[in-house]
Amino acid sequence: MRTYRHSLKALRDAALAHTLEKNPDLASLARELGSIIHRDAQALADGLSDLRHHNRGFERWLLGRRGRPGVSVLVMAWPPGYTTPSHDHAGLWGIELSMYGALEVESWSRASTSEAWQLRGRDWLGPGDATWFDADTHYMHRCRNLSRQETALTLHIYGGDLEDYATYEPVESEPFWQSQSQRARIAGPLRV
Ligand SMILES: [Fe+2]
């Protein structure tokens, strides 16, 4: 019988196998990961019920990583209604997928650091759906758990260790967004 640990391992292995190039094909990786999540949705939801029920706030768990080319694979737990600030990803490429529950993603881009941020789109991700972005410092997004009752779980793959990044608050005057440096905290390793 396939357990959630097999599913997590399949997700981690697919993420590592598809990212051996510096600029991997994110669309095909998103399809591959999405199909594993669709296939194993129930096992993942049941097996990760601790993460869904322990109510410790927003958490990042490390599922796997590799140096050269750098890749990190994380599972995140989103309390009901939790919204991130608008944030960048330190210039790394990335894929973010829903594993359980639904997420709203609003994204912005800009031509250069001196230009204004432009709203690029708003997506709604159900289990297996993904959003992705290339290695580009001129991209940011804000994500929200659309449920008011349930914790959502998401899978994130980045082209390196996402430790130092920036959040952006809207302000009244130019440049209309104020950035602040942040450090990403990892709750612990997720064992498979
Ligand atoms: Fe993000």
Side-chain angles (χ1 to χ4, degrees):
M1 203 188 95
R2 190 180 286 125
T3 67
Y4 83 99
R5 287 179 192 275
H6 291 123
S7 307
L8 286 177
K9 190 169 178 314
L11 291 167
R12 184 194 63 191
D13 292 350
L16 295 177
H18 281 74
T19 52
L20 294 166
E21 289 164 38
K22 194 160 170 277
N23 293 304
D25 181 346
L26 300 181
S28 73
L29 176 53
R31 269 196 303 278
E32 170 97 20
L33 296 171
S35 70
I36 297 171
I37 291 171
H38 279 299
R39 184 191 68 189
D40 299 348
Q42 195 60 52
L44 287 164
D46 295 344
L48 294 170
S49 65
D50 275 3
L51 287 190
R52 294 196 290 116
H53 293 128
H54 67 183
N55 294 325
R56 283 209 298 258
F58 178 67
E59 283 184 336
R60 299 174 166 90
W61 291 86
L62 186 65
L63 180 59
R65 66 179 297 284
R66 186 190 61 220
R68 288 210 222 162
V71 175
S72 59
V73 185
L74 299 122
V75 171
M76 300 191 192
W78 302 67
Y82 181 84
T83 308
T84 64
S86 303
H87 60 277
D88 66 20
H89 302 80
L92 303 177
W93 59 257
I95 302 187
E96 307 188 1
L97 298 100
S98 167
M99 292 170 75
Y100 181 87
L103 221 60
E104 178 190 67
V105 181
E106 280 181 289
S107 48
W108 290 262
S109 60
R110 60 181 173 180
S112 73
T113 355
S114 55
E115 317 249 335
W117 287 100
Q118 307 276 350
L119 186 64
R120 192 162 116 172
R122 189 177 279 126
D123 296 304
W124 291 272
L125 311 182
D129 294 338
T131 184
W132 61 87
F133 44 88
D134 292 319
D136 182 0
T137 46
H138 305 306
Y139 171 85
M140 69 171 173
H141 67 198
R142 173 169 64 198
C143 308
R144 178 165 70 100
N145 177 1
L146 287 168
S147 173
R148 288 171 193 220
Q149 281 87 35
E150 292 219 63
T151 294
L153 298 177
T154 54
L155 178 72
H156 301 240
I157 297 100
Y158 299 118
D161 289 323
L162 183 52
E163 288 173 344
D164 299 302
Y165 65 104
T167 54
Y168 298 80
E169 283 289 331
V171 288
E172 292 286 308
S173 56
E174 294 253 14
F176 302 114
W177 293 88
Q178 189 154 25
S179 69
Q180 196 167 12
S181 302
Q182 304 287 346
R183 180 139 261 244
R185 217 181 74 75
I186 302 282
L190 201 58
R191 304 206 189 279
V192 294

